Amino acid sequence: MTYSLTLRRPDDWHLHLRDGAMLRAVLPETARHFGRSIIMPNLMPPVVTGDDARAYRDRILAALPDGMTFTPLMTLYLTEGTDPNDLASAHAAGLITAVKLYPAGATTNSASGVRDIGNVRAVLERMAEIGLPLCIHGEVTRHNVDIFDREKVFLDTVLDPLRRDIPQLKVTLEHVTTSDGIDYVREASGDIAATITTHHLMINRNHILVGGIKPHYYCLPVAKRATHQEALRKAAISGNPRFFLGTDSAPHTDPNKESACGCAGCFTATNTMACLAHVFEEEGALDKLEGFASLFGPARYGLAPNDTTITLVKEDTPVTYPAKIETEDGPVTVFDPGHPLFWRVLDQ
Ligand code: NCD
Ligand code: ZN
């Protein structure tokens, strides 16, 4: 028996597309199923000005294969030198959808990020005034804070004080990985939401470390213990519109992942919808998938849902998808949840 499920076309509210050959190789993987994505600005050098965002958007659109439609929603990379006027005019021109805060040193290409949040206060106040959302990589980077505690410490020492200081600021806590983060976002007053990745719904830290180290499960924020994974799954299926999909699909070539000092990032663009259908079915909540993947994100950003649909079908035998995407820079391994998947997105 085949089950099928038709959803509004989903969007991805946190995506890394990179540039050049990598962009050309990974963009179709997202555009095949997703209508829009919030595009992360952590290129080398980062996307910091309105002009940078326009140029990057044009490169993305130029890389889109004929016959595919996809809307990149651009972000600026917040630095301590960001000019509030440039940011406001990029917003007014419809060039950017959000601004991204990377604490300096938190993750891939974050060296130009913010060292002291006090140094970007004027920019954040301006953003609150004009209603421009801030997407936050919510981890402290102090070397004496344990990597598994960095999100919780960020909530207590940075995010909560910041939101008390500038209550009108619209905040998205990106790729939340802890029950602490879920509780904070669910209970906070004011304008806050969180994105949840595909992989954090499917793995916990045991998957990374038990039985040999699995570099393709290493990402930042790093997956936490199973109780946190459970809290993420419950939030994703809760129907609470504060929680929605941001895959954080982040391609790195295999040599960069399978290394003595491997890069952080899971590449999930190719099979995200198959993975999500699997998770939501396991949770007995397939009826909640459309809200999570297709409705709550647009609502949060003041946009209409996509007017097209995708159809997922459940097969009797495992579905296949490529183990790797070939790029001119080298192969990129597709996220493997470690068990078969049975859901497939119908070609349209
Ligand atoms: C991202 C990347 O590779 O750009 N890596 C990751 O592990 N998620 C950066 C990020 O979002 O932290
Ligand atoms: Zn990311």
Side-chain angles (χ1 to χ4, degrees):
M1 164 136 179
T2 307
Y3 299 89
S4 83
L5 182 66
T6 296
L7 313 173
R8 291 283 191 138
R9 182 172 295 276
D11 300 304
D12 184 351
W13 300 92
H14 181 132
L15 177 67
H16 298 271
L17 285 176
R18 317 300 189 206
D19 216 339
M22 185 63 88
L23 165 65
R24 286 194 297 279
V26 300
L27 176 59
E29 299 303 299
T30 288
R32 195 172 296 132
H33 301 152
F34 291 85
R36 298 165 285 198
S37 298
I38 288 258
I39 309 298
M40 287 295 121
N42 63 333
L43 304 181
M44 284 283 262
V47 178
V48 290
T49 65
D51 284 347
D52 295 343
R54 180 186 288 106
Y56 186 31
R57 184 197 59 190
D58 292 349
R59 294 199 298 281
I60 294 169
L61 292 174
L64 193 63
D66 286 346
M68 281 187 152
T69 44
F70 175 74
T71 305
L73 301 173
M74 307 309 292
T75 59
L76 293 187
Y77 185 118
L78 184 61
T79 73
E80 295 190 1
T82 293
D83 171 5
N85 292 328
D86 176 65
L87 177 149
S89 47
H91 176 59
L95 260 180
I96 57 167
T97 301
V99 172
K100 177 69 189 244
L101 166 65
Y102 287 105
T107 187
T108 310
N109 300 344
S110 61
S112 322
V114 173
R115 256 155 264 278
D116 178 350
I117 197 114
N119 294 339
V120 291
R121 197 167 186 285
V123 182
L124 298 178
E125 280 177 343
R126 185 70 170 274
M127 288 172 58
E129 241 172 74
I130 63 179
L132 178 57
L134 181 69
C135 294
I136 298 186
H137 183 112
E139 290 191 289
V140 295
T141 55
R142 289 194 301 280
H143 62 96
N144 58 338
V145 179
D146 188 277
I147 191 164
F148 291 102
D149 298 335
R150 287 177 172 201
E151 184 170 293
K152 161 95 175 102
V153 175
F154 185 90
L155 299 173
D156 297 340
T157 65
V158 183
L159 184 61
D160 192 55
L162 170 66
R163 295 187 63 256
R164 285 173 198 277
D165 191 26
I166 313 179
Q168 302 311 321
L169 187 64
K170 282 169 84 80
V171 168
T172 306
L173 179 63
E174 303 259 69
H175 41 48
V176 59
T177 58
T178 59
S179 59
D180 312 277
I182 295 290
D183 292 346
Y184 183 83
V185 169
R186 197 181 38 235
E187 280 148 36
S189 57
D191 201 333
I192 187 161
T195 56
I196 301 178
T197 76
T198 309
H199 49 283
H200 288 118
L201 294 172
M202 298 193 100
I203 62 166
N204 58 60
R205 64 194 195 180
N206 274 13
H207 293 83
I208 311 174
L209 295 170
V210 172
I213 188 161
K214 314 293 189 314
H216 295 289
Y217 288 156
Y218 173 62
C219 67
L220 288 170
V222 71
K224 309 299 191 296
R225 62 169 67 238
T227 48
H228 293 291
Q229 180 192 4
E230 198 48 37
L232 300 180
R233 289 174 80 120
K234 292 292 172 263
I237 64 159
S238 68
N240 182 337
R242 286 189 172 188
F243 300 106
F244 53 86
L245 175 65
T247 66
D248 196 14
S249 180
H252 294 276
T253 62
D254 285 354
N256 283 320
K257 292 287 295 174
E258 298 166 5
S259 145
C261 183
C263 293
C266 296
F267 180 69
T268 54
T270 306
N271 57 0
T272 273
M273 291 314 298
C275 287
L276 290 176
H278 187 98
V279 167
F280 278 66
E281 185 181 37
E282 273 181 350
E283 296 288 338
L286 276 172
D287 60 322
K288 296 295 199 298
L289 180 56
E290 186 177 41
F292 180 73
S294 315
L295 303 179
F296 301 156
R300 163 82 182 152
Y301 283 92
L303 300 168
N306 290 310
D307 50 19
T308 55
T309 58
I310 62 165
T311 297
L312 286 148
V313 289
K314 188 172 182 198
E315 309 283 2
D316 294 329
T317 51
V319 296
T320 55
Y321 47 85
K324 293 174 195 297
I325 300 298
E326 295 303 331
T327 84
E328 286 168 33
D329 295 338
V332 173
T333 290
V334 174
F335 177 72
D336 174 1
H339 53 71
L341 296 170
F342 294 89
W343 289 90
R344 177 167 74 81
V345 181
L346 282 188
D347 294 333
Q348 266 142 348

